[in-house]
Amino acid sequence: MSSINRTLTGRERTFPETEIIVSKTDRSSRLTYVNDIFCEVSGYSEAEALGKAHNLVRHPDTPRCLFKLMWDTIGRGEEIFAYLNNRAKNGDHYWVLAHVTADRDDNGQISGFHSNRRTPRRDAVEKINPLYQRLRAIEHSHADPKDGLEASFRLFLDILNGEGKSYAEFVLGL
């Protein structure tokens, strides 16, 4: 089932601050591990999730340029923290503060990725959501999705450069 074609309910799910959503993927983003809280919050069983692309929980309100930044960063073997709006199986959404890192094999090569997601601070979500809406509007304003992605990514980098911050400094400073 495509994560892009499911309906949205407009209902937000939350999860306790003491819980951590954990997932692991292979290099091509196919889920290889999900913990119980992943299943509980996303609404997917382990059997439904394993082997599927991690974008199974991608919410269309999260700008594509953020995923470009994320893949560029973790593809270099660097870690990233990101506020993400995810979508549950039934169309509900849930915000997370994700920490994504590369897993490495015995030879030091990237073998997959590991993501820990915590409950985000509400004030940080309220600060970042307008920026995400602006970036998504730019992505949607182009007939060619690639052009929209490039335009939103450029704006995103310009905003970070204008503030004199890396993305990590920006996110952790919210």
Side-chain angles (χ1 to χ4, degrees), residues 66 81-84 95-97 120-132 156 159-160 163 165-174:
L66 184 60
F81 289 87
Y83 285 94
L84 302 172
W95 281 92
V96 297
L97 174 58
R121 289 188 353 265
R122 182 54 46 187
D123 64 319
V125 169
E126 291 170 1
K127 289 177 187 174
I128 201 131
N129 197 31
L131 171 61
Y132 285 6
F156 194 36
I159 290 169
L160 294 174
E163 294 195 14
K165 296 179 179 178
S166 69
Y167 180 71
E169 292 168 326
F170 173 76
V171 165
L172 297 176
L174 289 174

Side-chain angles (χ1 to χ4, degrees), residues 16-28:
E17 290 181 13
T18 56
E19 296 288 352
I20 300 174
I21 297 172
V22 179
S23 59
K24 293 184 179 188
T25 69
D26 61 17
R27 286 188 53 84
S28 61

Side-chain angles (χ1 to χ4, degrees), residues 79-141:
E79 68 181 349
I80 191 167
F81 289 87
Y83 285 94
L84 302 172
N85 188 8
N86 287 334
R87 179 171 35 189
K89 181 180 178 180
N90 72 346
D92 291 353
H93 67 277
Y94 56 101
W95 281 92
V96 297
L97 174 58
H99 176 221
V100 186
T101 60
D103 286 331
R104 297 187 181 272
D105 64 20
D106 293 340
N107 297 319
Q109 299 300 308
I110 295 174
S111 60
F113 303 97
H114 183 116
S115 178
N116 293 321
R117 293 173 302 284
R118 297 182 180 273
T119 299
R121 289 188 353 265
R122 182 54 46 187
D123 64 319
V125 169
E126 291 170 1
K127 289 177 187 174
I128 201 131
N129 197 31
L131 171 61
Y132 285 6
Q133 290 173 2
R134 182 176 172 199
L135 295 169
R136 285 295 294 163
I138 290 169
E139 290 173 0
H140 287 294
S141 70

Side-chain angles (χ1 to χ4, degrees), residues 58-69:
R58 185 189 183 289
H59 194 286
D61 286 350
T62 302
R64 291 174 43 229
C65 66
L66 184 60
F67 292 106
K68 176 181 174 14
L69 176 67

